[in-house]
Amino acid sequence: MTQSTAPAHEASQEALPRQHRHYSIGELARMFEVTPRTIRFYEQEGLLAPRREGQKRIYREKDRVRLKLTLRGKRLGFSLAEIREVVMMYDAMPDGNARQLWRLLEILADKRANLERQLEDIRLMRMELDDVDHRAREVLRGLGHEA
Amino acid sequence: MTQSTAPAHEASQEALPRQHRHYSIGELARMFEVTPRTIRFYEQEGLLAPRREGQKRIYREKDRVRLKLTLRGKRLGFSLAEIREVVMMYDAMPDGNARQLWRLLEILADKRANLERQLEDIRLMRMELDDVDHRAREVLRGLGHEA
DNA sequence: GACGAGGTTTACGTTAACGTAAAGTGCTTG
DNA sequence: CAAGCACTTTACGTTAACGTAAACCTCGTC
């Protein structure tokens, strides 16, 4: 997250209906601007579970969404373990027992608290960036008069 | 997690004068709930530059603020290198040449863009958490009827 | 003067999240 | 059929951000 050129965010083109239904690893990788290695790694970490057609991995819509959520979580500073925690429990929900569901609610509340704190952090950090920006511009004005 | 007891109403005026003026590494560590090792590491990475009194490190108000900003940056997912980039240029500002100042403005814009994206990410993630929460509660209600 | 509570340096260990070969499989295309 | 993709597995390498351990000062105090 270091590059200053950040126009290409998520998937670029989206005119076509999602009828495609399945993607290759390379397609997904290009879509989200990650390497295939990353996608395989996420699978190994239990975040994705694509079908196989022979050797090849076949990703369906669900996998694409998961990957999207995973990357979003990462941008927010969550670890893969944390993300998996939510994702897996979400999957186990339908037949989940009460204890697990309560545990899930607990985790969700935790994540939400995290987000709220981040909102405040962003607010503060914004103010500080604005401040530095201001000072820098003033110094620049000063330099303009000299030279 | 990171917070102790939330101060109900932090008096706008300086309740306690910051006359303390300087802190030991242990004090700072307890204040921010990090280990001394972390603080030394940040120094080694060029984020802090405490005075020395003999061997001992002496931290002043400025250092405390820097540490606070650093930790905030970390919570937002910035790397120490990124944080240092801003912090150091901020320090070099007064006598900075124009090119460096422009570079600083560039970096600031970059960070701000980052924050904006995070805001959006938070918004989306919140919605998804809410959704999962909803479903989980419904399943729980269902379980209540059985058993 | 032994001791414990703080501090110090040096240095190796650890974890997460991938990167980077190396070597093989399967298709299709000139 | 050779060449070129796109994909596969296996496995070692790398970076960031510390943790952890050892061995050493330097107080105040019991």
Side-chain angles (χ1 to χ4, degrees), chain B residues 35 37-38 41-42 74 78-81:
Chain B
T35 70
R37 168 62 169 133
T38 296
F41 181 72
Y42 289 173
K74 281 223 59 195
F78 293 101
S79 72
L80 294 184

Side-chain angles (χ1 to χ4, degrees), chain B residues 66 86-97 100-101 104:
Chain B
R66 273 210 186 177
V86 171
V87 161
M88 290 188 67
M89 296 201 74
Y90 177 82
D91 272 23
M93 249 182 47
D95 64 335
N97 60 51
Q100 284 215 338
L101 287 171
L104 176 56

Side-chain angles (χ1 to χ4, degrees), chain B residues 3 10 22 29 38 53 57 62 65 69 88 92 98 103 113 120-121 126:
Chain B
Q3 284 279 37
E10 179 92 40
H22 55 307
T38 296
E53 192 170 286
R57 290 170 170 82
K62 179 185 172 187
V65 172
L69 296 183
M88 290 188 67
R103 171 86 182 112
E120 177 64 4
D121 281 337
R126 258 178 167 176

Side-chain angles (χ1 to χ4, degrees), chain B residues 1-136:
Chain B
M1 283 182 162
T2 328
Q3 284 279 37
S4 48
T5 47
H9 286 295
E10 179 92 40
S12 319
Q13 300 189 348
E14 69 283 14
L16 286 177
R18 287 274 183 224
Q19 72 177 133
H20 218 238
R21 230 53 197 112
H22 55 307
Y23 315 85
S24 77
I25 196 172
E27 278 178 299
L28 271 190
R30 279 189 305 274
M31 270 186 189
F32 293 98
E33 297 186 315
V34 298
T35 70
R37 168 62 169 133
T38 296
I39 297 181
R40 291 195 197 98
F41 181 72
Y42 289 173
E43 174 179 351
Q44 173 185 326
E45 293 299 297
L47 287 164
L48 299 174
R51 303 288 148 70
R52 294 299 183 110
E53 192 170 286
Q55 277 278 72
K56 271 92 184 287
R57 290 170 170 82
I58 296 293
Y59 298 88
R60 291 182 18 222
E61 197 53 23
K62 179 185 172 187
D63 300 303
R64 196 188 59 85
V65 172
R66 273 210 186 177
L67 179 53
K68 188 181 62 180
L69 296 183
T70 298
L71 294 174
R72 180 179 299 150
K74 281 223 59 195
R75 283 198 302 269
L76 291 176
F78 293 101
S79 72
L80 294 184
E82 289 176 302
I83 296 169
R84 180 181 45 199
E85 203 172 19
V86 171
V87 161
M88 290 188 67
M89 296 201 74
Y90 177 82
D91 272 23
M93 249 182 47
D95 64 335
N97 60 51
R99 214 179 56 72
Q100 284 215 338
L101 287 171
W102 282 109
R103 171 86 182 112
L104 176 56
L105 290 182
E106 205 175 301
I107 295 178
L108 292 178
D110 194 43
K111 304 296 177 225
R112 240 192 312 255
N114 220 308
L115 293 186
E116 302 310 324
R117 196 183 52 180
Q118 285 204 32
L119 281 180
E120 177 64 4
D121 281 337
I122 287 180
R123 208 179 58 77
L124 294 172
M125 168 99 44
R126 258 178 167 176
M127 291 176 51
E128 274 138 20
L129 288 183
D130 284 354
D131 182 43
V132 178
D133 191 290
H134 247 79
R135 291 169 186 269

Side-chain angles (χ1 to χ4, degrees), chain A residues 1-4 9 69 72-73 75-76 78 90 93-94 96-98 101-102 104-105 108 110-112 115-119 121-122 124-126 128-130 132-133 135-137 139-140 143, chain B residues 1-2 69 72-73 75-78 82 90 93-94 96-98 101-102 104-105 108 110-112 114-119 121-122 124-126 128-130 132-133 135-137 139-140 143:
Chain A
M1 63 158 67
T2 321
Q3 296 308 317
S4 49
H9 184 191
L69 295 182
R72 180 180 298 150
R75 285 199 300 271
L76 291 176
F78 292 101
Y90 176 82
M93 249 182 45
N97 61 51
L101 287 172
W102 282 109
L104 175 56
L105 290 182
L108 291 179
D110 195 43
K111 303 296 177 224
R112 240 191 312 254
L115 293 186
E116 302 309 325
R117 197 184 51 179
Q118 284 202 32
L119 279 180
D121 280 337
I122 287 180
L124 295 172
M125 169 96 49
R126 256 178 169 176
E128 273 139 21
L129 289 182
D130 284 354
V132 178
D133 191 292
R135 290 168 187 270
R137 287 179 196 280
V139 176
L140 267 176
L143 286 184
Chain B
M1 283 182 162
T2 328
L69 296 183
R72 180 179 299 150
R75 283 198 302 269
L76 291 176
F78 293 101
E82 289 176 302
Y90 177 82
M93 249 182 47
N97 60 51
L101 287 171
W102 282 109
L104 176 56
L105 290 182
L108 292 178
D110 194 43
K111 304 296 177 225
R112 240 192 312 255
N114 220 308
L115 293 186
E116 302 310 324
R117 196 183 52 180
Q118 285 204 32
L119 281 180
D121 281 337
I122 287 180
L124 294 172
M125 168 99 44
R126 258 178 167 176
E128 274 138 20
L129 288 183
D130 284 354
V132 178
D133 191 290
R135 291 169 186 269
R137 287 179 196 281
V139 176
L140 267 176
L143 286 186

